[in-house]
Amino acid sequence: MDEADNCEGLLRKALAVQDVPDDFDPNKVPQTGEEYLHYVMYEARQCKEWVTASIDKGKLRQKQPLFIEEPTGFISAPSEMLPSLQWQQKTVSDFSAFRLHIQKLKLDNPIESAPAFNGESDQWLKKCSTAPKLTDVLCLNQRNLCKILNFHLEWLENINNGETIAHEMGAWLYAILACLDTPLMPDTCANMREMARKCSQIRAALPTHATVTEYKPLNLFICIIARYFKNFDLVDDVHEI
């Protein structure tokens, strides 16, 4: 037996057939089942163990009539509002450190989860009009966090052109994002991506003379959603990347 006969897996010999005889004639039509198997073994040994195809991609591109890029709905930052790469990296670092702090608090000082709530969006809008205490967020289970995140997306939809996220709303949103477990559920990830898109649209609607206080919260949430949660198609692109 040679190496080909001793191969494991798909190439391992399935039938107890003697090796191809020395006087085997590949041009002769097999007359018996054993001769046919000898011919199969002979042909198998003529094949290379690995075969690769050389593709001329230029020819393929010539035959491609149309290239379609799916729009994300994300609006790039105006140059005067574009955050630097260093700022984005520090934002992600600070957010990551805050998440680790939250996780340590949960382990060291467990807080009983609040029961699932049935509050409507307007009830939570009133509650979120004041900055949260850390215990307000730590007691929320993942289901409640996702529900409040969805409320925030609804509220973002109602922000008028030229306006931005209120400080209290931003504080709640930052805390909720910090408490969400990963990997994210698909619907939560979809809502988060939509939130980044909406933040970019709110930012684009700000006047050109908008202050840092007005557009910085929008940059913050876009950065966290795009970079920390790895939605890189929504990143604010800068030359240093």
Side-chain angles (χ1 to χ4, degrees):
M1 296 288 181
D2 61 16
E3 184 178 356
D5 293 328
N6 291 324
C7 287
E8 296 295 329
L10 294 175
L11 296 181
R12 185 176 54 190
K13 183 180 290 186
L15 300 174
V17 180
Q18 291 184 352
D19 197 10
V20 178
D22 295 335
D23 59 351
F24 174 75
D25 182 2
N27 297 316
K28 177 184 176 183
V29 177
Q31 301 296 317
T32 66
E34 185 176 37
E35 288 182 357
Y36 174 76
L37 292 175
H38 284 161
Y39 186 79
V40 171
M41 295 166 64
Y42 168 80
E43 281 197 327
R45 293 177 184 177
Q46 309 311 306
C47 298
K48 295 180 179 179
E49 186 174 359
W50 300 102
V51 179
T52 58
S54 178
I55 301 175
D56 186 348
K57 295 182 179 179
K59 292 182 179 179
L60 295 178
R61 283 193 291 269
Q62 292 174 4
K63 295 181 179 180
Q64 176 68 35
L66 181 64
F67 292 92
I68 299 176
E69 182 176 348
E70 184 178 356
T72 64
F74 181 82
I75 302 177
S76 299
S79 58
E80 63 272 12
M81 302 180 190
L82 182 65
S84 68
L85 178 60
Q86 290 77 14
W87 182 89
Q88 293 184 59
Q89 290 172 335
K90 186 176 187 308
T91 295
V92 172
S93 177
D94 291 345
F95 180 72
S96 179
F98 185 60
R99 279 179 63 91
L100 291 174
H101 176 64
I102 292 291
Q103 293 170 9
K104 188 175 186 303
L105 286 177
K106 287 181 177 180
L107 291 174
D108 296 343
N109 303 288
I111 298 176
E112 184 177 353
S113 297
F117 61 86
N118 297 314
E120 298 298 329
S121 174
D122 56 348
Q123 294 174 301
W124 272 92
L125 179 58
K126 183 177 180 180
K127 182 176 179 62
C128 293
S129 63
T130 58
K133 297 178 181 178
L134 198 52
T135 52
D136 292 337
V137 184
L138 289 177
C139 70
L140 296 172
N141 59 32
Q142 292 298 304
R143 181 179 179 183
N144 289 346
L145 287 169
C146 292
K147 190 170 185 179
I148 301 174
L149 181 71
N150 191 48
F151 286 159
H152 276 77
L153 180 56
E154 294 177 11
W155 302 334
L156 286 176
E157 296 288 346
N158 296 325
I159 292 180
N160 297 321
N161 287 349
E163 296 180 354
T164 189
I165 298 176
H167 172 75
E168 294 78 12
M169 180 181 178
W172 271 95
L173 185 52
Y174 191 89
I176 290 168
L177 293 175
C179 291
L180 285 174
D181 290 342
T182 53
L184 300 171
M185 296 295 290
D187 56 342
T188 303
C189 184
N191 286 339
M192 198 179 288
R193 288 177 58 81
E194 182 60 30
M195 185 169 291
R197 286 190 284 265
K198 186 59 184 175
C199 284
S200 75
Q201 294 161 12
I202 295 171
R203 180 177 61 188
L206 291 174
T208 54
H209 59 272
T211 64
V212 174
T213 305
E214 292 174 304
Y215 64 76
K216 186 176 181 179
L218 302 167
N219 287 348
L220 178 78
F221 294 119
I222 291 171
C223 178
I224 290 172
I225 292 171
R227 290 189 178 274
Y228 184 86
F229 290 103
K230 298 180 174 23
N231 294 286
F232 295 120
D233 57 320
L234 303 176
V235 164
D236 271 322
D237 196 11
V238 290
H239 295 302
E240 298 105 315
I241 293 178

